[in-house]
Amino acid sequence: MPILTIESTCDETAAAIIDSELRVLASCIATQEKLHEKYLGVVPEIAARAHVERIIPVLEATLNSAKISGAQLTAIAVANTPGLANSLLVGLVAAKTLAWVWQKPLIAVNHLDAHVYACQIAAQKSVFPCVGLVVSGGHTHLFHYRGPLERQLLGGTIDDAAGEAFDKVANLLGLGFPGGPAVAKLAAHGNDRKFDFPKSFQREPRLDFSFSGLKTAVRYAVYGHAGRVDPAHPLPGVHLPDVAASFERAVCEILVDKSFQAIRQTGTKRLCVGGGVAANRHLRDLLTQRANQEQVELHIAPPELCTDNAVMGAIAWEHCRAGQFATLNLDIVPGLMR
Ligand code: KG4
Ligand code: ZN
């Protein structure tokens, strides 16, 4: 009997039904991009209210599409951490209600573990132990996974997440939201060697990231230093596709270098990559090249499982097999994971 998974950590309301062989019987995602684009970022209160409106239609569509009734489920799983507090609450309340009404076990899923587990769903075989790189709008973290539920934090961003940097640079370049795909599109027409943007912690053993200096360097490249040039107009002669391409190269090189540093430090020969930024073509190519050079087994979540979805909540099967069930006292653990 399959598991129903619910995802509402940020601005996607999603549900899926997945069987014990990790086959997807149904998956439904209601995105909110249109609601947030005029603010150039996710507005937490708008996101939470939109989840409230969408959660029941999404659940109904998912159950109908799989032709499954509540009685036929093994458990109800929900991502309860990390994320936006009120967004998480909507998914959690829905999951608890269904678990109580249908008298089914409840399973708590960690959204970051789920992003890495997307690799296992795609591979249809175990991808653990591994180094896991999660690159999303809220997180840029490296973990050492001994098993799917055994995670040790190796390092992470000390300021912006990689996706956040893409979104802010998109804003700076006058592109829309979400910024990642827009920057990547513009970058395709640019010279990625035109600017040599800074790459933090590159010569240090620490497995941390910082993208705020890079973001500022992009601002200076486009508008000049504060106080010198009109910040509303790009400097004459600046070709924005070159800025986008050089920025994208810098972010991708930072992510790839640190991931392979983590591979060397842990002695693990397998790398799994998930999260919205992992949909980036340049990052995927660079990771693949380096993995071939260094003979590392590489798994990158397929693009449709990179951005937020409920299919990756299939990690609930690991909790189920480990006998890890939650009670109806389960709470959200919002915020970022550090
Ligand atoms: O994993 P995700 O859907 O949500 C979070 O858990 O945060 O990631 C969303 C992030 C956004 O910042 C978006 O700009 C970025 O992933 N993103 C990309 C691409 N597609 C999405 N960044 C770079 N290149 C892309 N193709
Ligand atoms: Zn995510």
Side-chain angles (χ1 to χ4, degrees):
M1 293 203 303
I3 288 181
L4 169 66
T5 61
I6 299 175
E7 152 66 41
S8 68
T9 59
C10 188
D11 63 338
E12 261 94 25
T13 320
I17 296 179
I18 296 137
D19 74 10
S20 57
E21 303 298 311
L22 303 185
R23 283 181 298 233
V24 181
L25 308 187
S27 167
C28 181
I29 307 177
T31 59
Q32 302 181 7
E33 279 163 17
K34 286 272 160 290
L35 298 180
H36 301 287
E37 75 190 351
K38 73 172 168 206
Y39 304 101
L40 300 170
V42 176
V43 182
E45 241 356 274
I46 293 176
R49 284 167 203 214
H51 284 304
V52 171
E53 285 168 9
R54 286 148 205 238
I55 188 81
I56 291 175
V58 163
L59 284 165
E60 276 175 348
T62 308
L63 289 159
N64 289 342
S65 154
K67 299 190 177 58
I68 295 270
S69 68
Q72 293 169 283
L73 294 170
T74 294
I76 319 283
V78 62
N80 73 320
T81 187
L84 301 172
N86 289 340
S87 290
L88 289 166
L89 261 184
V90 179
L92 180 65
V93 170
K96 280 190 191 180
T97 307
L98 294 180
W100 182 71
V101 170
W102 290 333
Q103 289 296 296
K104 296 291 174 183
L106 182 66
I107 296 174
V109 164
N110 178 301
H111 180 74
L112 302 187
D113 294 344
H115 267 307
V116 173
Y117 199 75
C119 294
Q120 173 138 336
I121 299 165
Q124 288 285 319
K125 62 168 191 163
S126 174
V127 297
F128 299 92
C130 68
V131 164
L133 170 69
V134 180
V135 266
S136 69
H139 289 86
T140 301
H141 282 68
L142 278 164
F143 298 104
H144 186 193
Y145 282 93
R146 289 192 168 76
L149 307 176
E150 266 180 88
R151 147 182 33 86
Q152 184 201 341
L153 179 65
L154 298 172
T157 181
I158 60 163
D159 41 53
D160 293 343
E164 194 178 355
F166 267 99
D167 293 337
K168 289 177 177 171
V169 164
N171 183 2
L172 240 150
L173 299 179
L175 306 172
F177 172 82
V183 171
K185 206 168 153 201
L186 187 64
H189 307 286
N191 170 6
D192 68 358
R193 304 278 149 182
K194 181 78 189 180
F195 298 91
D196 204 10
F197 289 129
K199 296 191 271 175
S200 50
F201 306 138
Q202 283 300 285
R203 286 188 193 83
E204 294 181 39
R206 63 191 282 193
L207 296 171
D208 290 323
F209 303 90
S210 165
F211 295 102
S212 66
L214 169 59
K215 187 185 63 191
T216 307
V218 171
R219 175 178 289 284
Y220 288 167
V222 179
Y223 297 104
H225 288 72
R228 279 207 293 125
V229 175
D230 177 0
H233 296 101
L235 292 168
V238 175
H239 187 52
L240 296 186
D242 292 346
V243 178
S246 303
F247 162 77
E248 184 184 51
R249 177 175 67 85
V251 174
C252 296
E253 286 177 358
I254 292 167
L255 294 172
V256 173
D257 287 349
K258 281 291 163 195
S259 299
F260 283 86
Q261 212 173 313
I263 288 281
R264 281 190 295 278
Q265 285 185 22
T266 55
T268 314
K269 288 301 264 179
R270 194 184 283 131
L271 174 65
C272 291
V273 186
V277 180
N280 183 276
R281 186 75 260 159
H282 186 64
L283 177 61
R284 298 174 83 90
D285 290 348
L286 219 56
L287 283 164
T288 307
Q289 268 171 31
R290 186 72 77 84
N292 287 340
Q293 274 164 18
E294 306 208 11
Q295 294 181 346
V296 165
E297 183 184 324
L298 173 69
H299 296 271
I300 313 176
E304 68 279 9
L305 295 186
C306 285
T307 43
D308 287 346
N309 65 86
V311 170
M312 63 194 194
I315 193 173
W317 276 110
E318 303 288 344
H319 289 281
C320 196
R321 289 191 195 106
Q324 295 175 353
F325 296 102
T327 68
L328 290 180
N329 288 327
L330 180 68
D331 207 347
I332 56 165
V333 185
L336 299 175
M337 204 166 150
R338 289 283 190 253

